Amino acid sequence: MGLAIDIIKRDGGRKSEKFSDEKLHASIVAACLSVRTPIGQAEAIAHAVTQSVISWLETKPEVTSHDIRRITVKHLHTHHPDAAYIYEQHRITI
């Protein structure tokens, strides 16, 4: 699934692209697995968080990639605070 939405990238450039729920889901699973969450639980958390982000995006004509990350962290934190921290810090530490 892809929502047609304008995503403003971190470099400030505008690029109209489809939001990738698969990409978001995979990155959430990876964050959960990095803190040793069982795969089934990681998949369930990723599904719930991805659905929350999609619901939030449906009312937005454009967002920044930072907005998506911020909302993802907010929802992920309610399910798994350690994974939320890893997800939030990923771009900073790499």
Side-chain angles (χ1 to χ4, degrees):
M1 176 186 163
L3 293 174
I5 188 165
D6 286 332
I7 299 176
I8 302 167
K9 301 310 245 177
R10 290 190 322 155
D11 65 2
R14 287 187 173 265
K15 180 180 178 187
S16 182
E17 64 180 50
K18 287 188 176 188
F19 166 75
S20 172
D21 59 337
E22 294 90 4
K23 183 177 172 183
L24 179 62
H25 185 277
S27 65
I28 295 167
V29 168
C32 289
L33 294 177
S34 73
V35 292
R36 301 180 185 243
T37 306
I39 186 70
Q41 184 181 2
E43 290 284 345
I45 290 170
H47 177 75
V49 172
T50 300
Q51 291 306 308
S52 295
V53 173
I54 289 170
S55 293
W56 177 81
L57 282 171
E58 287 176 346
T59 63
K60 310 290 185 260
E62 70 179 23
V63 295
T64 65
S65 53
H66 177 75
D67 290 334
I68 294 171
R69 181 167 290 280
R70 180 177 50 82
I71 295 302
T72 301
V73 167
K74 174 185 166 189
H75 288 285
L76 182 53
H77 191 268
T78 64
H79 295 278
H80 200 313
D82 293 340
Y85 177 80
I86 294 297
Y87 183 89
E88 184 175 30
Q89 298 301 314
H90 174 73
R91 295 257 189 235
I92 296 168
T93 58
I94 290 182

